Amino acid sequence: MVKAGKLRSGTAQKLKRWKKGHSSESNPETSRYRQAARSRFFSRPSARSDLTVDALKLHNDLQSGPLEHKETKDDTAFEVDEPALTERTSATFLSGLSDCSNLTFSKVQRFWESNSAAHKEICAVLAAVTEVIRSQGGKETETEYFAALMTTLEAVESSESVGAVAYLLNLVLKRVPSPVLSLKFSDTSKVFMNIMSSQASSESPSALRWILSCLANLLRKQDASVWSYPSTLQVYHGLLSFTVHSKPKVRKAAQHGVCSILRGSDFMFGDSAPSHHPAAQSTARFCIKEMEQAGGNKEDTTVLHILGLLKELLPCFPHGAVKSCCETLLRVMTLSHVLVTAGAMQAFHKLFSAKPNSSSLPAELNAQIITALYDYLPSENDLQPLLAWLAVMEKAHTHLSSLQISLCLGHLPRLFTAAMTCFLSPHVQVVSTAAQTLKTLLKECVAPCMAEIGSITSTAPSGNASYICKVFRLVEEGLTYRYYSSWPFVMQVLSCFYQVAGKEAHPIMVKSLQSLCDLRLTPRFPFSGELDQTVGSAVESMGPEIILRAIPLQIDGNEDDLEFPRSWLIPVIRDRVKNTELGFFTTYLLPLATTLKNKADELSQAGRNLESKVYMTLHLQIWSMLPGFCMQPTDLATSFKGIARVLGMVISDRSDLRLTVCHAIRTLINKSIRKEEDHAEVARFAKNFLPILFNVYTQQPAAVDSAALRMPVLDTIKVYLTITDQEMVCTFLQKATEKLCSQESSGFTRLAVMDLIMAMAPCVDESTMTTTFELVKPYLASKESGLQKKAYRILEEMCGGEREPCHQFVLTNLEELKRTLLGSLKSASSPAKRPRLKCLIHIVKHLSPQHTEFITAVLPEVMICTNEVAVGARRNAYTLLVEIGRAFIRFCGSQKEAILQYLELIYAGFTGSVTMISCTVLALTRLVYEFKDSLERSVIEPLLRNVCLLLSSRTREVVKTALSFVKVLLFVMDVKVLATHMPLLMEGIGNIKEDVRRHFRTKLKNIFTKFIRKFGFELVKNMLPEEYHKVLVNIRKVEARNKQRKTLKHDADSESENEEATSKPKGDSIEDILADSEDEDEEEKKGRGGKKQPGQKGKAWLKEGEGDEPLNFLDPMVSQRVLATNPDVKKNTKVRHDFKLTSDGRLIIREEADDDEKSKGAKEEMEDILEEAGVKSKNQKRKFKEGNLDEDMEMEPQFQYKAGGSGIHRPLSRKGDSGGQYKAKSGKGDIKKKGQHDPYAYIPLKKAQLNRRKKAKLQGQFKGLVRGAQKGARTGRKMQRKRRNV
């Protein structure tokens, strides 16, 4: 041990010593914050003051000369009634800044605490100017600030002061009225030009950049007539000359100013605005001149600066200027400089993306640029330039199609030829981009003109149809074997082509469909999914008739074998067919299905059951196409009558096809009836279909899953009734009631008939509804729960229908409904509670103030139902409680008074039985949650007092509901209001009996956690008895542990995000694409271990000839040999993911909601509150959550999956401790086993053991190893002594 107050031996040499009395010299020498605190407003600064000499001189100059403004009649507005102060004892040098009333300088007011000298200078200038304006009686308008700042700009000399004044001028110029700037244009521009000439060679770019911005704002405000003067153009060219400045900030400010002038001048947005800015032509000449002067000098960056400017300005130029600039761009691209080529591509991309009108970029010039760009087509191995070229060509053709569609179609074949060459590239990104480019061109350029072109055949003459034919032939060539690696992308393009032009151009697509079919039949074809998707697109656009004509099914029932090679077409057609001819199913597929059914029956009779089952499966698959044919058929009015009789027979006789046909009928009615003739045609067969459906539903099935077979039939009946004539429905309803009253009907038949009455009741008139009500009234008191429930369901459908006859029925029979429901209260069975409460909900919505007695009579039943076993009954009871509350609000008008009156009725439940008391608390819990905004303190206090009294009850059911009330109250009540009731709540919780408290320990722990989070641990602890303190301490430990765990996880996530930030994926913009070529160069440099050389930023590579073939520099395609991507660099294609793995190698993929524990915890807490309040139904099987478990309850999650078998399912559980196989089954110690090593403690040889830093840890392991061996030896010796003594 080391003695207190002393250091370990050897540490004194490592410490720095100081002399006596100099112990504080180790403190930092700088005291920036202390000095700043000393130099506040009312003391003299000890360090450098914010008030510089230049600022003081500026202040004196401004105060010596008055502001220049014309005297007006409103000069009296500047007079101040209050007497002037002789001494400004309370003002500082920043008073003009801190209380500046002009919102223009609100951005500046945050600079006053900045440590930057430039910011301090800006604040000082603004404060001085503001004080001068106030001293002259100004109103601090933008015009006054403009005049004062211009005067200041001419007075100051230092570069810092000029920059500060120019910054403020740049802010105020945007708000100065245009007439003022037009009037002062000559003088102001002269001042700016003089400062620009004097600051051009300055080291600090601050003043120059803000002066350039000021000049740009000044020029933007000028009228169009001013630009006809040579002086204006001279000023503009002064600004334009700085666009190639060597300093980036100056250059950026000048380029931004030029762009804002040409694109955002005020007169460009007027009614008589010109098509182009007057200075656009001279700007184009300047850009061309600068690029030509730079020539082929690769070290000169002027070309790159001009390209950056042209990228924004090309769409603003007139036709002649655009043509000249594009010619110049194409010339500089011949330099084969990577960055120049990239900049030119960016300029072209911006030009086409802006979609200029024909006055800037006519269709002929657009086409000429497209033709010229083919000379600069990069090699398919040059990744980034090729991606950029494809992006530019896509935008160029898209814009050309908007100008002249026929000219665009004429250029598509050449582009498709180049793009199909890209499918041979080894780079997957190139292939993917080429496929996406072709799909975009098909959708943007081909799709809009297909209706105008019409039908396309292979013998189409020259014109747009021939262009489409050529383009498709090029894409179709992609199915040849040389494109094998790119077949998935080729099929994507084919799929898009089918969708775009399949309807009109299907004659030329037959061969491609046959080729796809042949590929599908190839053994082990790897792209079956993509091929099925492609054929599905063809089915969707062309229709199944054309597809089956091109690729017949080759199934006729007379096959020699059971191969059926083209049976894969059946599921493809089933999933994608729609908007086609229903007649084709009737004429082709229906006879085929009948043939297959007959063949299956023949084989079954012959005892060939396996073959019979195959044909029966094909028969069912063909019938499964019917719902797709019923999806928006084009010939419904003419074809439905041809298949209606067959459908009726199938529903009646074929139980295996009944669900498919019912699905088809529902699809036909719900999604396909749009025309009046279609509606009339389908409704005409209601008299045929409905009786068949009625008969099928009322027949008792023998199968076990009867509900699964009968419910689709009932759904089909309900759907068909929506389009059936009302008189016919009334007739059917009358027949159903007769069958219900018949003595011959069985119990099952009566229940089925009541289901049919329930479906038809909302679709009849009011008088028929009244008759039906009188019919089912006796069943409301029936002792058979099934009939009683069905009767209430019929009443529910009639009361809750949305049609006008349903509303009239409720209003007309309201009194009778009330008497009936009150009379059947005692006889209502538990299964009938849900529909009965639903009926009451619909009736309460129509009640008026005179029906309060009915609500009072019904309320006890509703409260009792909140404790029902059935989830639906509980949910409807809670909904009815809320609906009654809204009815009281409707009766009283005042929401608070209505809620108070309603709660008085609820309070009567406290005088009932234990069950009634618990139901009363549940009802109050739901009402407090729903009407929390209407409850005043006078209402909450007695309510809370009564509930706290119930907490001392010995009945667990009562205490449980009271705790639920407290839990919801914690959620809905404001913390300040809740704090006033804390003593009452804590006293009530403290009075809970011991056995009850032990039973609800989990719920109490949850409540205590919420109290501690809201009010703190100490306050809750002081208010609760001592027996609760242990639980509270446990909660505090758990909360601290959870908080620490979240903090650690957040820190780990932050670190991982920082690591991922270094390798962000590239964007899809043209700038991101073209920037990648430079990044690859940097990666190569880093791989070699060297630093990137500044002179090699635009390095290019020259691709040699194949084999011994020499490189021909006279070849017209030699430009493709100049690569921006190093062909020798191999990219790592291994995909990294952040998913965790199980022990057997499977990925653990969690949803986003599961990853975010914070949102998950809040969601779970909210669901818990909603369950307690009755908004959501509680799950019957409650799952234990980590936060709800006590400390002594150790539970591990049980996984349903257990490893077993081979492959990824093999058991990979960790083996036991090393040496466990040598333990004796009986007794202590180890034993020797034949054929195995001796039971010694073998030390594994690991590379980590050579690490010096882990030396001490490994030594400790060995010490423990020796200690364990010694202990075992001692135990063995003792055992031997005992044996000897025996």
Side-chain angles (χ1 to χ4, degrees), residues 52-280:
T52 60
V53 176
D54 290 336
L56 185 60
K57 181 180 178 182
L58 168 64
H59 180 68
N60 294 334
D61 292 341
L62 290 175
Q63 284 195 333
S64 61
L67 286 174
E68 297 180 3
H69 67 279
K70 297 182 180 179
E71 295 184 359
T72 60
K73 297 180 181 179
D74 297 333
D75 284 344
T76 56
F78 295 95
E79 296 179 2
V80 183
D81 297 333
E82 297 180 0
L85 297 177
T86 56
E87 292 291 333
R88 300 191 60 190
T89 55
S90 62
T92 66
F93 77 99
L94 287 181
S95 297
L97 170 65
S98 59
D99 58 356
C100 178
S101 61
N102 197 306
L103 297 178
T104 305
F105 304 105
S106 58
K107 182 180 179 181
V108 182
Q109 292 178 353
R110 71 172 186 266
F111 289 164
W112 73 278
E113 289 183 338
S114 174
N115 294 319
S116 171
H119 290 173
K120 292 178 180 179
E121 189 74 21
I122 292 172
C123 295
V125 171
L126 179 59
V129 171
T130 304
E131 288 301 316
V132 171
I133 293 175
R134 289 175 181 172
S135 65
Q136 301 298 325
K139 296 182 179 180
E140 300 184 36
T141 62
E142 287 81 2
T143 305
E144 292 172 345
Y145 273 105
F146 168 66
L149 289 171
M150 285 302 301
T151 306
T152 307
L153 189 62
E154 298 182 67
V156 295
E157 297 178 357
S158 65
S159 177
E160 292 78 8
S161 299
V162 172
V165 178
Y167 175 80
L168 296 173
L169 261 176
N170 182 54
L171 292 178
V172 79
L173 275 172
K174 300 173 183 177
R175 295 176 177 265
V176 176
S178 298
V180 176
L181 295 181
S182 299
L183 185 63
K184 295 293 182 179
F185 172 69
S186 178
D187 299 334
T188 307
S189 60
K190 184 178 180 181
V191 174
F192 289 160
M193 293 295 288
N194 292 334
I195 296 176
M196 285 165 54
S197 60
S198 62
Q199 297 288 333
S201 58
S202 176
E203 292 295 329
S204 175
S206 176
L208 186 57
R209 63 181 289 209
W210 295 122
I211 287 294
L212 291 173
S213 298
C214 292
L215 184 59
N217 288 326
L218 181 66
L219 290 170
R220 277 182 55 205
K221 298 288 185 178
Q222 304 307 312
D223 296 334
S225 58
V226 178
W227 287 92
S228 60
Y229 304 137
S231 58
T232 307
L233 291 177
Q234 184 179 0
V235 172
Y236 172 73
H237 279 281
L239 172 65
L240 193 60
S241 62
F242 284 92
T243 56
V244 292
H245 198 272
S246 58
K247 288 184 169 53
K249 291 185 178 180
V250 176
R251 183 172 65 251
K252 183 178 179 180
Q255 291 186 358
H256 184 269
V258 170
C259 293
S260 63
I261 291 171
L262 295 187
R263 299 169 62 177
S265 294
D266 291 350
F267 64 85
M268 296 292 292
F269 301 99
D271 296 335
S272 58
S275 58
H276 306 285
H277 197 279

Side-chain angles (χ1 to χ4, degrees), residues 24 57 89 144 232 251 255 268 337 542 637 705 709 716 744 773 801 804 840 845 866 889 988 1008 1021 1099 1192 1199:
S24 63
K57 181 180 178 182
T89 55
E144 292 172 345
T232 307
R251 183 172 65 251
Q255 291 186 358
M268 296 292 292
H337 191 282
M542 304 179 195
D705 52 346
L709 295 175
T716 308
E744 300 176 357
F773 173 53
E804 186 61 28
L840 289 172
K845 293 180 180 179
T866 57
I889 295 172
F1008 289 152
K1021 181 181 178 183
K1099 187 175 180 180
D1192 56 347
F1199 298 102

Side-chain angles (χ1 to χ4, degrees), residues 950-960 963 986-1008 1024-1032 1190:
L950 296 176
L951 288 172
S952 60
S953 174
R954 293 184 179 274
T955 307
R956 292 179 178 179
E957 185 180 359
V958 175
V959 176
K960 179 182 178 182
L963 289 176
M986 293 293 104
E987 182 183 358
I989 294 175
N991 292 332
I992 298 177
K993 305 301 180 185
E994 185 178 356
D995 59 333
V996 179
R997 183 177 71 242
R998 191 182 308 110
H999 182 75
F1000 294 116
R1001 60 187 181 275
T1002 303
K1003 188 179 284 287
L1004 280 171
K1005 186 177 180 180
N1006 195 352
I1007 293 175
F1008 289 152
L1024 284 174
E1026 188 175 355
E1027 54 264 24
Y1028 289 97
H1029 290 180
K1030 186 176 180 181
V1031 179
L1032 297 178
D1190 293 335

Side-chain angles (χ1 to χ4, degrees), residues 606-634:
R608 300 160 66 181
N609 294 329
L610 179 60
E611 299 177 9
S612 173
K613 187 171 291 187
V614 172
Y615 278 101
M616 180 57 70
T617 303
L618 287 173
H619 166 73
L620 295 177
Q621 286 183 344
I622 290 177
W623 268 102
S624 66
M625 299 183 191
L626 179 60
F629 278 88
C630 292
M631 177 71 74
Q632 301 175 3
T634 57

